[in-house]
Amino acid sequence: MAWRFPVTAHDYSRLAASRLPRFLSDYVDGGAGDEQTLRANDAAWAAVTLCQRVLVDVDGVDTTTTLVGQSCAMPLALAPVGLAGMMARRGEVQAARAARAVGVPFTLSTVGICPLEELHAAGVDPVWFQLYMLRDRGIVQALLQRAWAAGCRTLVFTVDLPLPGMRHRDTRNGLGAGSVRARMLKIIDLLSRPGWVRDVGLRGKPHVFGSLAQQVPGARDLDAFKAWVDSQFDPSVTWADIDWLRAQWPGTLLLKGILDADDARAAVRCGAQGLVVSNHGGRQLDGVAATANKLPCIVEAVGTQAEVLVDGGIRSGVDVLRALALGANGVLIGRPWVWALAAGGEQALADMLARWRRELRLAMTMAGVRRIADIDAGVLDVSSNTDNGSATT
Ligand code: FNR
């Protein structure tokens, strides 16, 4: 079977699904509502047609670049993914090690399992830290100070989650229901995955939101943590709070979850060095546009005032080239890194990232560009691209 030697993101996703309990693989794979935006994200990249060029000197193609001032082996960073430490034993540490080995940034989620200090002690910094705004600003301040002390210099502030989206797969699996039936369902899922129970369930403890462990006294399990975090999400956050945040954080600030040109301009006015065009991987408002379709108008709105990263549905090195051709400075990937991690831990993720880098190099070679900075709309086959370039839907 194809996935015995996983190669593509899709191969890793199938392998991950065969290793994880169902409620976890659904948590990773799923989106909001009917998952229209989730599907649209993938499809929109596939619709971006590239130009094949020949007899250009493409000796020594180079994928290295910088992302918000940090040197990278390729223009890609691992997106923040909550609960990644449930997908592999101490998963965030393994993923950060793989990212470091390949030379790309890793972003630790506010709701990661491993705390900031565990990553610092593992010697994988500098990692990026992702922040959700919590009602208690004292907790936010303390988190930012810990992130700084742990060597983080890039803060990814997520702005598209005033409240968590409706994820029907999670509801079907009884997540957060707390009923006897929901507990039974979970036990049945766990019984079908003894390898995960041994490796991650038992040997990967503690399973709490590590960076918040001091803030949630008395909470022993993930359900209690999740209930606390859900009650702490602050839907009253506005642009004025970004000024407050800017004053708290001396490092680089990225705003993640921008999908509108006016919002992109506001992000630049607030002093963000970069933004991430994102719909949270189709997990928030189902029915919003694919990120590939929104990217060009946001790039145009921002100009050279900030770096523009994009995520959602990027599934290969070729997709990285497509994103750069549409004007992005780089990409974030979410599910693909988690799939590889769940499929085979640090080594599988390092293999996948190295393969993506080779794929990007090869795609640049055949598109006739030698440097990341040389990738522009000239790489697009405009005669075949009907949906991109000026699309704003
Ligand atoms: C996420 N995402 C996310 N974003 C964030 O800012 N903080 C978080 O804690 C999480 N958690 C999270 C969990 C899971 C399981 C997924 C799939 C996603 C969103 C993530 O950072 C990113 O925007 C998307 O995953 C990008 O889409 P792809 O690459 O997964 O298609």
Side-chain angles (χ1 to χ4, degrees):
M1 268 190 266
W3 51 260
R4 284 187 184 267
F5 293 102
V7 175
T8 64
H10 182 64
D11 294 343
Y12 286 107
S13 84
R14 289 178 60 198
L15 196 47
S18 73
R19 303 223 159 141
L20 293 172
R22 169 84 185 261
F23 66 90
L24 285 181
S25 61
D26 269 349
Y27 165 73
V28 174
D29 296 0
D34 290 332
E35 303 187 338
Q36 291 169 349
T37 297
L38 175 69
R39 286 190 295 276
N41 276 348
D42 289 23
W45 294 115
V48 177
T49 312
L50 297 166
C51 219
Q52 171 182 295
R53 301 304 305 272
V54 297
L55 299 176
V56 183
D57 179 357
V58 278
D59 193 21
V61 166
D62 183 6
T63 64
T64 61
T65 186
T66 59
L67 288 179
V68 284
Q70 188 173 326
S71 299
C72 304
M74 62 178 154
L76 177 150
L78 305 196
V81 170
L83 298 180
M86 300 298 290
M87 313 307 158
R89 194 195 319 167
R90 309 315 288 164
E92 289 90 358
V93 169
Q94 291 201 55
R97 280 206 186 107
R100 189 178 168 81
V102 176
V104 297
F106 170 82
T107 314
L108 178 66
S109 165
T110 304
V111 288
I113 296 292
C114 299
L116 281 154
E117 292 75 13
E118 188 174 343
L119 269 78
H120 187 46
V124 291
D125 24 293
V127 301
W128 296 0
F129 182 63
Q130 177 266 328
L131 177 75
Y132 283 129
M133 188 62 87
L134 305 173
R135 288 182 193 272
D136 186 335
R137 296 292 194 271
I139 294 180
V140 173
Q141 263 172 328
L143 261 182
L144 293 178
Q145 282 162 13
R146 281 173 58 200
W148 189 266
C152 301
R153 295 294 177 265
T154 301
L155 182 69
V156 179
F157 179 51
T158 300
V159 292
D160 61 2
L161 205 136
L163 289 172
M166 295 274 261
R167 322 254 169 86
H168 296 332
R169 295 198 205 197
D170 293 350
T171 312
R172 283 188 201 109
N173 289 326
L175 288 197
S179 64
V180 175
R181 185 161 175 266
R183 271 201 294 277
M184 291 302 294
L185 268 178
K186 199 169 173 184
I187 290 168
I188 292 167
D189 277 356
L190 291 171
L191 287 174
S192 70
R193 294 290 183 265
W196 180 92
V197 171
R198 241 184 347 264
D199 183 35
V200 189
L202 296 174
R203 297 171 68 195
K205 287 184 173 178
H207 290 147
V208 294
F209 293 151
S211 297
L212 294 170
Q214 296 158 7
Q215 320 297 340
V216 199
R220 287 185 195 288
D221 61 39
L222 265 182
D223 283 342
F225 265 82
K226 188 166 181 322
W228 182 86
V229 170
D230 285 353
S231 72
Q232 274 287 332
F233 278 118
D234 187 353
S236 71
V237 173
T238 66
W239 292 105
D241 294 280
I242 310 290
D243 294 338
W244 176 84
L245 190 63
R246 206 39 300 188
Q248 310 297 318
W249 183 255
T252 302
L253 177 67
L254 289 172
L255 295 194
K256 173 173 177 285
I258 302 288
L259 209 58
D260 177 272
D262 285 338
D263 286 345
R265 279 185 276 266
V268 170
R269 279 198 299 277
C270 286
Q273 281 94 344
L275 53 90
V276 185
V277 178
S278 176
N279 50 34
H280 217 98
R283 295 165 76 82
Q284 285 298 100
L285 178 57
D286 195 30
V288 297
T291 47
N293 291 341
K294 299 303 291 190
L295 178 62
C297 69
I298 291 178
V299 167
E300 197 184 327
V302 169
T304 56
Q305 294 173 285
E307 291 198 13
V308 177
L309 309 183
V310 64
D311 74 16
I314 305 267
R315 296 292 177 261
S316 67
V318 174
D319 285 348
V320 179
L321 178 66
R322 288 171 158 139
L324 268 59
L326 291 181
N329 295 93
V331 306
L332 265 54
I333 59 168
R335 294 179 184 85
W337 79 254
V338 182
W339 289 329
L341 186 75
E346 178 182 338
Q347 189 58 52
L349 177 53
D351 289 348
M352 188 193 82
L353 291 171
R355 192 173 303 110
W356 281 38
R357 188 178 181 199
R358 287 200 300 277
E359 201 174 16
L360 172 61
R361 189 184 295 125
L362 200 57
M364 288 169 67
T365 304
M366 290 188 278
V369 281
R370 278 206 290 201
R371 305 273 171 271
I372 292 294
D374 297 338
I375 301 173
D376 59 17
V379 168
L380 299 172
D381 181 351
V382 278
S383 65
S384 306
N385 278 302
T386 46
D387 287 349
N388 284 286
S390 61
T392 53
T393 53

